[in-house]
Amino acid sequence: MPKDFFDFDLPYDRPKWYIYLLYAAAGAVLAGVLNFLANITGLVKEESFNEAATGLLGASNHIAVLIVLYCLATPFIEELLFRYFIFNLLFKYTKRAALSVVVCAALFGIYHMNPVQMVYGFIMGLVITYAYYRHRVLTIPFLMHAAANAVALAFSFL
């Protein structure tokens, strides 16, 4: 592996505090809309959707553990992997933002490994990856992802 393989030379301009809140709210709203659409289209009755929801709740019966797992640990790890490493590598070597955003989002969708979550993950991945590209601050996609997972977790209890 070349010495500068992970040297991304990211421009950094810290956004104002309210930008973080706006993106977190956008992540929550988008997740809410996607969950609502899954409900009204009947996708929640699909076996793959039910498997994902049961797997989510099967990790623990304690809400605090689920929050730590799905609203903190998972977004942290997935944002490091998909936005920081995969997106930055794609963008560094292709120099094409749109292509890098779409490919990263597609990989994020595929990573979720079931048809409903693939579509959900791809759409969320597009928005989250664009937000990362726009600001180059990993905190923004983390907050969006955490808010989206919190909404998905809340929907799984309904």
Side-chain angles (χ1 to χ4, degrees), residues 4-72:
D4 65 342
F5 191 70
F6 287 114
D7 181 16
F8 300 125
D9 191 31
L10 302 174
Y12 179 74
D13 184 22
R14 182 180 300 275
K16 303 274 190 227
W17 66 269
Y18 58 86
I19 298 296
Y20 294 94
L21 291 177
L22 288 172
Y23 277 108
V29 167
L30 182 56
V33 167
L34 291 172
N35 276 289
F36 176 74
L37 290 173
N39 275 303
I40 64 170
T41 58
L43 289 174
V44 293
K45 295 178 181 135
E46 291 291 321
E47 187 176 327
S48 64
F49 185 88
N50 287 322
E51 286 174 12
T54 342
L56 176 74
L57 296 175
S60 175
N61 357 348
H62 300 287
I63 188 69
V65 172
L66 291 171
I67 290 170
V68 168
L69 281 175
Y70 296 109
C71 301
L72 297 174

Side-chain angles (χ1 to χ4, degrees), residues 69-90:
L69 281 175
Y70 296 109
C71 301
L72 297 174
T74 299
F76 178 76
I77 293 165
E78 289 179 355
E79 292 312 314
L80 278 176
L81 176 63
F82 287 97
R83 262 44 84 178
Y84 186 76
F85 290 114
I86 293 174
F87 171 79
N88 283 328
L89 280 171
L90 287 167

